[in-house]
Amino acid sequence: MDTLQDRVAVVTGAGSGIGRALALGFAAEGAKVVLADVEEGTLAESLDLVTAQGGEAMAWQTDVSDAGSVAALAEATIERFGAVHVVCNNAGVGGGGLIKDQELVDWKWVIDVNLWGVIHGVHSFLPHLRAADQGHIMATASVAGLVAGPGLGPYNASKFGVVAIMETLHHELAADPDSDVGVSVLCPGVVRTNIVTSQRNRPAELQRSGESAPRADARARNERIAAAVAAGMDPGDVAAKVIDAVMERRFWVLSHPEHLADIEHRNQSLHSLTNPTLPGRWAGGD
Ligand SMILES: NC(=O)c1ccc[n+]([C@@H]2O[C@H](COP(=O)([O-])OP(=O)(O)OC[C@H]3O[C@@H](n4cnc5c(N)ncnc54)[C@H](O)[C@@H]3O)[C@@H](O)[C@H]2O)c1
């Protein structure tokens, strides 16, 4: 994209973490920003932060797991700004635990938000991006979309799916003479956000029916993850990498290049048709 000045950027999950940083980052580049999130209070706070910075913006409460809600977001964007140039399908939730301990509602919630959220975003916004003079669509996956470690079954499945969708879209749009739409996928390592409290947005009908208090091993794992996230990368640094990738039309956005060794470790297992093992510093995890 040659400039972000006066372009229209939509960010889902803009009420917190990476999404809030993306909204602030696009506004700082002169874009008009549409902030979308399911959580009304934090969404309003993010809007205030963007407008306090002098940016032109609107907030639209959206549940990305609901096709109609995302379609309404696209309509509201076009109604307010007349076009859309950048779409960041970033909203997501974290859900941990061993596969043997998952209830079907655990799978459903994570897949609904993380995978269907991206599908809905692509479905509703791609026609508008194709109609714009230039466009870019990104989705936030994770390193968990490239390496499947233990303790994150539904999350890994959702993020591998997101990488697959965006990679497919990249190939299709690159071969489409009528499209000037770039594609990126963000695969972050650990970032300092509110992801460990994702349950705050879990719908009542998808709550677990089983034991409400986590078992001691799950509690210990959650505490480890919370400590890692608290020491994670600043979301503003991640947003800056995404904005660079949009400007330079780069597909892969890896916030933590040290994870390339973990991805290579997995690829080696495939290449040599030997059974997967965990990369050194992942072993002993769950
Ligand atoms: N924080 C990390 O370490 C990390 C690492 C890899 C990938 N990610 C991914 O980054 C993305 C952003 O997460 P974050 O870390 O900033 O967490 P966060 O919890 O700070 O922000 C996520 C936002 O998504 C919103 N959201 C949740 N469910 C939603 C729904 N159904 N519809 C609309 N919005 C919804 C939340 O309200 C929240 O504002 C997610 O896709 C996450 O999986 C995060």
Side-chain angles (χ1 to χ4, degrees):
M1 185 155 292
D2 45 22
T3 178
L4 285 165
Q5 187 68 44
D6 295 324
R7 302 284 193 183
V8 179
V10 178
V11 180
T12 69
S16 175
I18 297 171
R20 177 177 283 183
L22 282 168
L24 286 164
F26 282 115
E29 295 290 329
K32 300 166 187 167
V33 183
V34 179
L35 298 96
D37 204 288
V38 76
E39 207 177 318
E40 221 172 351
T42 55
L43 177 61
E45 284 169 21
S46 290
L47 179 66
D48 285 348
L49 289 170
V50 170
T51 49
Q53 202 180 262
E56 193 179 344
M58 70 178 247
W60 192 265
Q61 193 183 12
T62 309
D63 178 356
V64 297
S65 70
D66 176 346
S69 183
V70 179
L73 170 67
E75 271 173 39
T77 301
I78 297 299
E79 195 175 321
R80 167 77 188 264
F81 291 121
V84 55
H85 303 94
V86 181
V87 175
C88 296
N89 295 288
N90 166 78
V93 292
L98 301 179
I99 285 178
K100 72 178 175 57
D101 298 327
Q102 300 297 301
E103 294 186 14
L104 286 178
V105 284
D106 298 323
W107 290 93
K108 182 153 174 50
W109 173 52
V110 171
I111 300 288
D112 275 359
V113 178
N114 293 5
L115 187 58
W116 277 104
V118 171
I119 295 167
H120 294 150
V122 171
H123 183 76
S124 284
F125 280 101
L126 192 56
H128 298 296
L129 292 171
R130 286 170 54 87
D133 54 339
Q134 276 188 330
H136 201 99
I137 187 161
M138 70 76 80
T140 305
S142 170
V143 169
L146 301 166
V147 180
L152 287 170
Y155 190 78
N156 291 340
S158 70
K159 297 300 186 179
F160 266 71
V162 169
V163 172
I165 290 167
M166 300 313 281
E167 205 171 334
T168 305
L169 193 56
H170 163 79
H171 291 306
E172 291 179 2
L173 292 176
D176 180 350
D178 298 325
S179 154
D180 193 13
V181 180
V183 183
S184 298
V185 68
L186 168 65
C187 296
V190 180
V191 186
R192 199 167 59 247
T193 69
N194 292 310
I195 192 150
V196 288
T197 59
S198 291
Q199 298 280 340
R200 68 194 187 276
N201 291 311
R202 186 166 175 158
E205 67 276 16
L206 295 180
Q207 295 295 330
R208 287 171 70 87
S209 61
E211 95 266 13
S212 50
R215 292 199 331 257
D217 56 345
R219 239 185 353 258
R221 186 185 56 241
N222 291 345
E223 281 164 13
R224 270 203 315 278
I225 292 173
V229 168
M233 183 177 274
D234 187 297
D237 293 342
V238 180
K241 289 174 198 290
V242 171
I243 289 169
D244 285 350
V246 169
M247 298 303 289
E248 296 162 16
R249 277 207 174 207
R250 268 186 292 106
F251 179 77
W252 297 112
V253 191
L254 266 73
S255 58
H256 296 61
E258 61 269 30
H259 284 304
L260 284 170
D262 306 327
I263 297 159
E264 183 55 26
H265 182 91
R266 176 175 187 267
N267 288 348
Q268 275 303 324
S269 137
L270 185 59
H271 191 69
S272 57
L273 297 180
T274 52
N275 290 351
T277 56
L278 286 171
R281 65 203 158 85
W282 290 34
D286 277 274

